[in-house]
Amino acid sequence: MNQHYKAIQENLDNAETPQNIEEFLKRCISYTEEDLLQGQLVKRSTSPMSNIAHSLEVECKQKLLKDFQNLNYILHDETVGERIRPQESVKREVMPAKEKKKTGPRLR
């Protein structure tokens, strides 16, 4: 997992646009999903340690996939927000505050 996180950090540092990062994350998601779907669920080995290591590897890949998806969601959410915000600010007009009329004491 450490290698994957380092690759993400390098890609973030070298990326020119958010779209480059999004494409990288989509490739990582696709690769990890394919690896999980096509890989063996249980390693059929006579060594119990080998079987445990394989199970831990699959769990790490699942967590890595979730992390990739969350990063992609955050990135997508921020880039969509950046596209929408400038349009919203143009549509909003500053309305002058209405003056309150004093009509006497209020009854409760």
Side-chain angles (χ1 to χ4, degrees):
M1 287 181 68
N2 190 30
Q3 292 174 347
H4 290 287
Y5 290 130
K6 284 182 181 179
I8 292 171
Q9 185 63 49
E10 288 175 13
N11 193 282
L12 289 173
D13 293 340
N14 298 329
E16 295 176 5
T17 63
Q19 287 77 17
N20 293 349
I21 299 170
E22 190 173 1
E23 289 171 9
F24 171 75
L25 289 174
K26 284 182 181 180
R27 285 193 310 268
C28 290
I29 289 170
S30 175
Y31 174 78
T32 307
E33 284 177 343
E34 189 69 27
D35 192 28
L36 284 171
L37 290 174
Q38 300 300 325
Q40 296 178 348
L41 292 177
V42 178
K43 189 171 187 176
R44 301 192 195 313
S45 174
T46 56
S47 169
M49 289 305 289
S50 178
N51 290 335
I52 290 173
H54 180 73
S55 297
L56 289 175
E57 180 184 0
V58 170
E59 286 182 25
C60 287
K61 287 180 183 177
Q62 290 173 341
K63 182 174 178 354
L64 190 64
L65 180 62
K66 285 181 184 179
D67 290 344
F68 283 142
Q69 290 171 338
N70 288 337
L71 284 172
N72 195 24
Y73 176 76
I74 291 168
L75 179 70
H76 181 58
D77 191 40
E78 287 181 7
T79 55
V80 168
E82 288 174 1
R83 292 181 202 147
I84 292 174
R85 282 186 203 121
Q87 295 172 356
E88 288 179 354
S89 63
V90 172
K91 291 180 182 177
R92 293 182 184 171
E93 295 179 11
V94 178
M95 299 290 286
K98 293 182 180 179
E99 293 182 23
K100 292 183 179 180
K101 296 181 182 179
K102 295 182 181 179
T103 58
R106 290 187 173 175
L107 300 175
R108 292 183 190 199

